[in-house]
């Protein structure tokens, strides 16, 4: 969908093979033709307990190669850049890797670790501040996230008032979906309704009086399935396994290794201490907070309990993912994922709730 937006933050990661390192060692700095010489930064990865990234903010200029020398000082980490589709670089203790980044747009880019190195792992985030003028003019003014525009309280409880008695089937729903009012099939309806909320709207339609409650759940499952694709769900499954399962659990039950034995999070009972909060209001990186401070992690909600996710709208879930929890341990993901990836992840989360 928002391809042009991804293009804006596209960067070249010229991974440096052995030969390239050799060239660096002999000659003066390698520059790319027509570009000013590279800036060099040595970046050490360490567990947050050991201080996190050795440099949390790096300055760079548009079009000017940023040459990173990367290593780990303790366990295996990985270096990745948010919202880019470049493969992460694994960093083993004592090994050095070189990478040259060229940014074609100014902005704040988040670099982060993708290897689970402890319960504070996700705090291994830093910022690359890129200044200079964009090569292409387009600089779409970032729209406020939907949950802010709707004024949603994303920390409030959202228990579904209605849940299906049996697992709904999008396939069954598809068979009579043409009877659904067009206004309720739109993307806006999807984004702003919980499945249970949409079910209630359908139940209120007199034209659907002849349909059973189960039929209407099939219709809701169908409308949800319409908003994603098998390919998007497959990508989201991988993103979930790599970034979420450690807390939310492989099967979404909120029983990941990082939260073993911890009490379950109760919505509305947030530990309101601003200094523990990791909330970056609009998804901008709060990099100086990312490696410091403690937090009270709790076990996340059980996504397979239909009362949880069937009572939440995509806008609500997106809000929590963009902002993160307020001292609950739920990281913020705005600077890490592209809008397309966020969208796919949200659709994927609902698949946990449909199964029961
Ligand atoms: Cu790490």
């Amino acid at each position: 969908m928002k391809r042009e937006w991804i293009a804006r933050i596209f960067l070249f990661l010229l991974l440096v093979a052995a030969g390239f390192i050799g060239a660096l060692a002999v000659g003066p700095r390698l520059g790319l033709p027509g570009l000013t010489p590279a800036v060099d930064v040595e970046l050490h990865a360490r567990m947050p307990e050991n201080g996190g990234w050795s440099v949390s903010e790096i300055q760079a200029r548009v079009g000017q190669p940023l040459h990173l020398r990367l290593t780990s000082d303790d366990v295996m980490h990985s270096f990745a850049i948010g919202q880019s589709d470049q493969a992460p670089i694994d960093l083993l203790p004592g090994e050095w890797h070189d990478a040259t980044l060229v940014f074609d747009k100014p902005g704040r880019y988040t670099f982060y670790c993708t290897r689970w190195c402890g319960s504070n792992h996700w705090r291994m985030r830093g910022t690359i501040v890129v200044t200079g003028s964009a090569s292409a003019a387009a600089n779409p003014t970032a729209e406020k996230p939907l949950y802010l525009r709707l004024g949603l309280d994303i920390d409030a409880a959202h228990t579904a008032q209605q849940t299906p008695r049996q697992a709904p089937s999008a396939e069954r729903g598809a068979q009579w979906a043409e009877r659904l009012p067009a206004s309720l099939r739109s993307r806006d309806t999807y984004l702003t309704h919980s499945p249970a909320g949409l079910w209630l709207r359908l139940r209120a339609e007199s034209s659907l009086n002849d349909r059973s409650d189960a039929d209407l759940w099939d219709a809701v499952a169908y409308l949800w399935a319409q908003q994603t694709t098998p390919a998007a769900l497959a990508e989201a499954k991988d993103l979930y396994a790599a970034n979420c399962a450690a807390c939310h659990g492989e099967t979404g039950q909120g029983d990941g290794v990082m939260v073993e034995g911890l009490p379950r999070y109760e919505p509305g009972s947030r530990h309101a201490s601003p200094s523990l909060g990791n909330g970056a209001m609009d998804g901008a990186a709060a990099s100086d907070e990312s490696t410091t401070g403690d937090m009270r992690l709790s076990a996340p909600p059980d996504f397979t309990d239909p009362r949880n996710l069937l009572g939440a709208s995509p806008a609500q879930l997106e809000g929590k993912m963009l902002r993160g929890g307020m001292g609950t341990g739920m990281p913020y993901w705005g600077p890490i994922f592209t809008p397309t990836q966020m969208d796919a992840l949200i659709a994927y989360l609902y698949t946990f709730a449909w199964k029961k």
Side-chain angles (χ1 to χ4, degrees):
M1 22 160 11
K2 295 192 177 166
R3 276 287 150 201
E4 71 290 354
W5 195 78
I6 297 166
R8 188 170 67 86
I9 51 94
F10 178 76
L11 52 95
F12 311 91
L13 179 58
L14 309 174
L15 234 201
V16 182
F20 188 48
I21 297 170
L24 275 177
V26 268
R29 274 203 198 122
L30 263 195
L32 296 182
L35 296 171
T36 36
V39 174
D40 297 296
V41 173
E42 204 175 280
L43 186 58
H44 295 245
R46 305 163 188 149
M47 290 171 66
E49 292 76 7
N50 299 337
W53 296 106
S54 59
V55 184
S56 60
E57 188 169 299
I58 298 171
Q59 305 290 332
R61 289 195 56 82
V62 169
Q64 186 173 9
L66 168 64
H67 178 219
L68 297 176
R69 302 215 63 219
L70 302 159
T71 192
S72 163
D73 288 351
D74 43 33
V75 298
M76 190 203 256
H77 298 283
S78 190
F79 174 87
I81 301 216
Q83 299 186 333
S84 82
D85 48 13
Q86 300 299 335
I89 305 171
D90 280 340
L91 304 175
L92 286 156
E95 272 184 15
W96 287 90
H97 290 266
D98 294 60
T100 299
L101 311 175
V102 183
F103 297 86
D104 64 354
K105 299 288 186 313
R108 292 173 72 87
Y109 299 79
T110 296
F111 65 88
Y112 67 110
C113 174
T114 62
R115 294 272 171 193
W116 282 90
C117 51
S119 57
N120 279 321
H121 149 80
W122 67 270
R123 289 174 179 260
M124 288 188 66
R125 295 183 180 179
T127 309
I128 304 174
V129 181
V130 181
T131 52
S133 51
S135 35
N139 185 16
T141 38
E143 220 179 33
K144 260 192 176 184
L146 188 55
Y147 80 99
L148 289 179
R149 280 182 277 144
L150 295 172
L152 298 180
D153 177 359
I154 54 174
D155 299 309
H158 48 68
T159 313
Q161 291 163 353
Q162 300 288 334
T163 53
R165 281 163 195 272
Q166 61 186 68
S169 152
E171 290 74 34
R172 280 197 304 267
Q175 289 164 15
W176 60 278
E178 78 281 356
R179 284 192 53 197
L180 299 171
S183 64
L184 295 184
R185 299 171 182 221
S186 69
R187 179 154 177 86
D188 274 354
T189 301
Y190 162 79
L191 291 174
T192 55
H193 284 69
S194 67
L198 188 53
W199 185 91
L200 286 170
R201 297 254 334 238
L202 294 178
R203 191 69 291 175
E205 289 286 327
S206 50
S207 64
L208 300 176
N209 274 345
D210 58 324
R211 290 288 166 178
S212 71
D213 287 357
D215 286 348
L216 297 188
W217 277 113
D218 291 343
V220 174
Y222 165 79
L223 292 173
W224 248 244
Q226 287 297 97
Q227 296 295 332
T228 188
T229 61
L233 289 177
E235 191 200 353
K237 188 172 197 249
D238 292 344
L239 292 175
Y240 179 89
N243 298 284
C244 323
C247 295
H248 286 280
E250 292 295 337
T251 58
Q253 287 174 284
D255 58 354
V257 289
M258 291 297 157
V259 299
E260 240 173 56
L262 295 178
R264 182 84 74 181
Y265 166 76
E266 296 287 341
S269 73
R270 72 165 96 139
H271 320 292
S273 164
S275 64
L276 302 187
N278 47 38
M281 283 321 287
D282 54 5
S287 62
D288 33 1
E289 270 194 318
S290 63
T291 54
T292 53
D294 197 9
M295 59 178 179
R296 287 167 62 185
L297 186 58
S298 42
D302 180 355
F303 287 158
T304 67
D305 180 341
R307 282 170 302 172
N308 286 335
L309 287 188
L310 298 188
S313 66
Q316 234 165 328
L317 299 181
E318 185 195 51
K320 184 62 67 102
M321 289 168 62
L322 287 174
R323 195 211 63 187
M326 298 295 260
T328 65
M330 167 63 188
Y332 59 89
W333 298 99
I336 306 292
F337 298 126
T338 64
T340 308
Q341 288 173 324
M342 291 289 280
D343 200 55
L345 271 166
I346 291 163
Y348 180 70
L349 295 185
Y350 284 109
T351 63
F352 291 125
W354 290 127
K355 280 172 195 150
K356 272 200 183 161

